[in-house]
């Protein structure tokens, strides 16, 4: 994270291994996801971001296809003062569009961890 934020920019925090997992993706996927996260930091929603099913409002995913593979990043904008990246992964479902149950459960656990960290850092979440 940069030491100084621009006016109107919320800080971006990475939960668990999400940053390492993003940086392990191919460079075009990293760039595309990074742009979408940057838009979120300024309160916007990138055209490639869509709601993440199962966790309610304020949890989004960015899907980026590259070289026949699909890469995803989930993040939350539920908190007024920060954006949290919850999980970055390559979709590996052998059939259909369904996301693996382990990835869905991991996002839920990391969202709870993000809420705890946010409340420790900023006080009770309000948004």
């Amino acid at each position: 994270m940069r030491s100084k934020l621009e006016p109107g920019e919320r800080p971006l925090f990475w939960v668990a291994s999400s940053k390492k997992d993003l940086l392990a993706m191919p460079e075009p996927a990293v760039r595309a996801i990074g742009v979408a996260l940057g838009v979120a930091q300024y309160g916007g929603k990138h055209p490639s971001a869509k709601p993440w099913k199962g966790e309610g409002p304020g949890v989004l995913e960015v899907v980026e296809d590259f070289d026949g593979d699909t890469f995803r990043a989930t993040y939350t904008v539920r908190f007024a003062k920060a954006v949290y990246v919850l999980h970055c992964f390559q979709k590996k479902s052998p059939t259909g569009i369904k996301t693996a149950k382990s990835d869905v459960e991991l996002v839920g656990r990391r969202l709870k961890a993000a809420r705890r960290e946010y409340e420790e850092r900023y006080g009770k979440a309000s948004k």
Side-chain angles (χ1 to χ4, degrees):
M1 186 170 79
R2 293 186 323 270
S3 60
K4 186 166 169 45
L5 297 172
E6 298 292 324
E9 180 184 15
R10 293 189 285 175
L12 184 70
F13 296 108
W14 302 86
V15 179
S17 65
S18 58
K19 186 173 186 178
K20 177 180 73 80
D21 297 337
L22 174 66
L23 295 176
M25 294 178 182
E27 185 60 32
V30 172
R31 276 196 308 272
I33 291 169
V35 167
L37 293 173
V39 170
Q41 285 183 268
Y42 285 96
K45 181 177 171 283
H46 192 273
S48 67
K50 61 183 184 177
W52 172 262
K53 293 177 176 67
E55 292 297 336
V59 179
L60 300 139
E61 73 172 326
V62 178
V63 179
E64 183 62 29
D65 293 320
F66 176 74
D67 203 22
D69 293 316
T70 300
F71 300 91
R72 295 182 177 197
T74 59
Y75 63 97
T76 185
V77 294
R78 281 189 183 168
F79 311 120
K81 297 180 182 176
V83 175
Y84 283 82
V85 181
L86 304 172
H87 185 33
C88 298
F89 61 103
Q90 180 178 351
K91 184 179 174 298
K92 295 185 179 176
S93 178
T95 58
I97 59 171
K98 189 167 182 160
T99 302
K101 185 178 179 186
S102 60
D103 288 315
V104 173
E105 290 171 348
L106 184 61
V107 168
R109 286 193 307 272
R110 288 185 175 179
L111 180 60
K112 289 178 180 139
R115 176 172 294 282
R116 283 191 303 272
E117 199 278 339
Y118 181 85
E119 290 176 354
E120 288 171 11
R121 183 182 298 269
Y122 296 105
K124 192 79 171 155
S126 62
K127 185 177 178 187

